[in-house]
Amino acid sequence: MQTKIVRIEDKTPVREELLADAARILREGGLVAFPTETVYGLGGNALDADASRKIYAAKGRPSDNPLIVHIARMEELEPLVTEIPESAKRLAEAYWPGPLTMILKKSGRIPAETSGGLDTVAVRMPADPVANALIRLAGVPVAAPSANTSGKPSPTTAEHVIEDMNGRIDVILDGGAVQVGVESTIVDLSGDHPVLLRPGAVTVPMLEKILGPVELDPVLTKPLGPDVHPKAPGMKYRHYAPKAEMILVEAGDEGETETDCNGPEENCGSMRVVKEISRLAEEAVRAGKRPGILATDETAPLYRTGEVRSIGRRSDEASVAHNLFAVLREFDSIGVDIIYSEVFPEDDLGLAIMNRMNKAAGHHHIVVGKDGSASETLGG
Ligand code: AMP
Ligand code: MG
């Protein structure tokens, strides 16, 4: 299949004539990759079971993993669900269009292929102007998982999508780099209280401001017990994985803050992490391996060994989320053998960043104690 690549230079406003062809293809059952503010999506008509089957085939994704249905306007929600709870209305008011997906009870219009056989459906209204105009012009709700081959990091540029999907789908709309860089927040509103299933740029405090207390899905917080083997079926830890093994290195003391750390000579948490990663990288090189180091603007100049990449500024978590998947893909393409990564505080957007990092690393951590001793864990 020949994939048509359409470059969209200017998004404000989008020239709709550039999208007309893609919108028609969606309506007629074809597949179109498009930018959203979170990551690139691989879209098909959500009401067309065949289109959903094609999405699973193009991604190589198991067909019991349901798709998120994207809409452009609030009126489009009602036909897709049995009821719109008050909580969903309030969340939509506050955060739609935006990086938030809600799980609601599905109506009969959603085929089982789209919802992975569940009686609920995931719905989101994206804010990206290309995504919004495309869905509106298509005139159908658009089922769209991330536009990557299953098991690869989600695509945050059109180049990533071309790498994975060229020749497999009808159209790729190239709208440049996405804004957020991690997938949408998913909150389940189909039960009697809201549950966070996936952290994203709509953070827990943002949800709780509207909903009151939100439960976190145990899988987001619970460390693996010693009796649970990390490769057990259903534990999709390699879901967002780079090719190389990845290990997260963290300081093992509570309460120590960055302000305790004033210079490279000091033994504060972040410096101990830099020292341990440097030691591990040197050890890897001696063993004939090529290490990658996932660092930050603040720490990158301190590393002397390995392929060092800064993921963004520690002082600006949004920059870290924005670059995370691109850096993981870059490690894939340059072919490092092992990746050592710094970690981030698990608050606000940090919860989303660490969720993706933990998946990429299969929850493999090395904890560096105050005395410089290092211990390994496969827990959360
Ligand atoms: P992606 O489309 O690649 O961002 O992945 C979609 C995510 O949404 C997957 O983790 C799905 O398991 C999840 N999801 C979609 N629909 C539902 C649903 N009805 N209930 C629970 N999770 C869902
Ligand atoms: Mg995905």
Side-chain angles (χ1 to χ4, degrees):
M1 177 189 287
Q2 174 92 24
T3 302
K4 191 173 156 197
I5 297 166
V6 181
R7 173 108 187 93
I8 294 154
E9 299 284 349
D10 194 359
K11 291 190 181 184
T12 49
V14 183
R15 282 172 49 211
E16 293 193 353
E17 65 272 24
L18 290 176
L19 306 179
D21 209 29
R24 179 187 53 76
I25 287 169
L26 277 178
R27 212 164 32 243
E28 293 174 359
L31 300 189
V32 175
F34 60 96
T36 82
E37 71 275 30
T38 58
V39 301
Y40 270 75
L42 171 55
N45 180 351
L47 306 180
D48 177 349
D50 280 336
S52 290
R53 278 193 210 103
K54 283 197 221 166
I55 291 175
Y56 290 116
K59 279 181 65 76
R61 167 166 168 159
S63 60
D64 61 350
N65 196 356
L67 308 174
I68 294 175
V69 177
H70 294 71
I71 59 175
R73 282 176 301 221
M74 204 54 197
E75 309 88 86
E76 295 161 29
L77 178 60
E78 209 186 298
L80 307 178
V81 299
T82 57
E83 58 166 333
I84 306 176
E86 206 48 47
S87 55
K89 286 182 196 153
R90 290 205 308 272
L91 275 185
E93 180 96 7
Y95 303 121
W96 273 3
L100 174 68
T101 297
M102 301 187 220
I103 310 288
L104 299 168
K105 294 201 179 92
K106 83 173 182 112
S107 75
R109 295 192 73 200
I110 304 284
E113 283 76 3
T114 301
S115 62
L118 299 176
D119 59 4
T120 53
V121 61
V123 190
R124 174 163 108 83
M125 187 191 294
D128 182 280
V130 175
N132 189 279
L134 176 71
I135 298 162
R136 190 164 37 76
L137 293 171
V140 291
V142 176
S146 49
N148 54 299
T149 308
S150 190
K152 277 228 215 171
S154 291
T156 55
T157 66
E159 288 70 34
H160 298 159
V161 181
I162 294 168
E163 251 171 53
D164 286 11
M165 292 296 152
N166 201 14
R168 304 175 74 90
I169 62 176
D170 300 288
V171 182
I172 296 172
L173 298 177
D174 174 356
V178 302
Q179 184 211 335
V180 176
V182 291
E183 304 86 346
S184 59
T185 303
I186 302 182
V187 62
D188 186 352
L189 301 175
S190 68
D192 33 293
H193 60 278
V195 183
L196 180 74
L197 300 188
R198 178 170 76 184
V202 172
T203 61
V204 173
M206 287 166 75
L207 292 173
E208 292 193 329
K209 192 173 146 210
I210 308 293
L211 299 177
V214 172
E215 190 190 318
L216 303 200
D217 186 329
V219 108
L220 301 178
T221 49
K222 235 186 235 160
L224 285 174
D227 51 334
V228 185
H229 195 274
K231 287 200 176 97
M235 298 220 174
K236 294 169 179 150
Y237 290 131
R238 294 292 292 177
H239 198 80
Y240 296 93
K243 286 179 201 151
E245 182 188 3
M246 179 160 154
I247 299 173
L248 307 178
V249 183
E250 66 185 290
D253 39 78
E254 303 296 328
E256 192 177 39
T257 63
E258 287 303 309
T259 49
D260 298 332
C261 187
N262 297 313
E265 298 314 314
E266 292 181 41
N267 200 35
C268 64
S270 58
M271 276 318 301
R272 291 205 311 278
V273 167
V274 169
K275 279 185 201 160
E276 178 62 9
I277 290 181
S278 298
R279 191 188 67 73
L280 289 164
E282 281 158 25
E283 205 175 84
V285 168
R286 276 197 300 278
K289 288 192 203 163
R290 193 167 167 216
I293 296 177
L294 204 155
T296 49
D297 284 7
E298 289 87 343
T299 57
L302 303 174
Y303 294 105
R304 303 265 171 270
T305 315
E307 296 288 344
V308 182
R309 296 292 181 277
S310 172
I311 193 182
R313 293 175 298 284
R314 250 171 208 289
S315 54
D316 173 15
E317 279 185 340
S319 71
V320 173
H322 184 265
N323 296 323
L324 172 59
F325 290 138
V327 171
L328 292 182
R329 276 190 181 247
E330 189 184 347
F331 281 136
D332 273 355
S333 67
I334 64 176
V336 297
D337 301 301
I338 186 153
I339 300 166
Y340 298 108
S341 176
E342 299 176 8
V343 299
F344 298 87
E346 294 197 28
D347 52 11
D348 300 336
L349 191 53
L351 188 65
I353 294 165
M354 287 313 299
N355 171 259
R356 304 327 187 264
M357 283 195 163
N358 268 313
K359 284 185 171 179
H363 287 250
H364 190 167
H365 288 235
I366 287 179
V367 183
V368 198
K370 275 205 160 128
D371 56 358
S373 64
S375 57
E376 287 195 54
T377 67
L378 271 176

